[in-house]
Amino acid sequence: MGDVAKGEKLFKGRAAQCHTATQGGGNGVGPNLFGIVGRQSGTVEGFSYSKANLESGVTWTPEVLNVYLENPKKFMPGTKMSFAGIKKEKERADLIAYLATLN
């Protein structure tokens, strides 16, 4: 399990420029991530997803997020997310721990 405080810092430094994380928050360049853990991919109202994301059938579990966040374009070819990924497993664990608190 990751460190929630470190994960929040990672979110603010690497994700907040594209994603919001507050309940009822709007979408940015990327969808709002409040409630992401356990959610079906491509289901945030009002966000224009790629066909790849809409048709992936992915549920964002911590395990799936860990693989996705390492290399989003490899995990989901055709995704609109232009993020290179997080190579360090500990950083991914910290970020996922933070995301899991957003519910």
Side-chain angles (χ1 to χ4, degrees):
M1 188 70 174
D3 182 303
V4 173
K6 287 180 181 176
E8 184 174 11
K9 279 184 84 170
L10 280 165
F11 181 87
K12 288 177 179 174
R14 297 195 189 175
Q17 61 271 36
C18 293
H19 296 277
T20 60
T22 55
Q23 187 170 11
N27 297 314
V29 172
N32 181 310
L33 296 181
F34 187 87
I36 183 75
V37 177
R39 184 166 71 208
Q40 184 79 23
S41 177
T43 59
V44 172
E45 196 171 315
F47 186 75
S48 178
Y49 286 96
S50 65
K51 183 176 180 182
N53 203 305
L54 286 170
E55 296 178 356
S56 70
V58 166
T59 298
W60 297 118
T61 64
E63 297 78 18
V64 170
L65 282 165
N66 183 53
V67 177
Y68 179 75
L69 289 169
E70 183 176 15
N71 188 335
K73 290 196 179 294
K74 180 179 177 186
F75 179 87
M76 190 177 291
T79 184
K80 292 194 306 188
M81 188 158 127
S82 62
F83 178 65
I86 299 171
K87 303 307 173 207
K88 294 180 181 175
E89 190 167 355
K90 176 70 172 111
E91 289 183 352
R92 291 194 311 273
D94 293 344
L95 179 58
I96 293 163
Y98 170 67
L99 293 173
T101 68
L102 305 175
N103 56 33

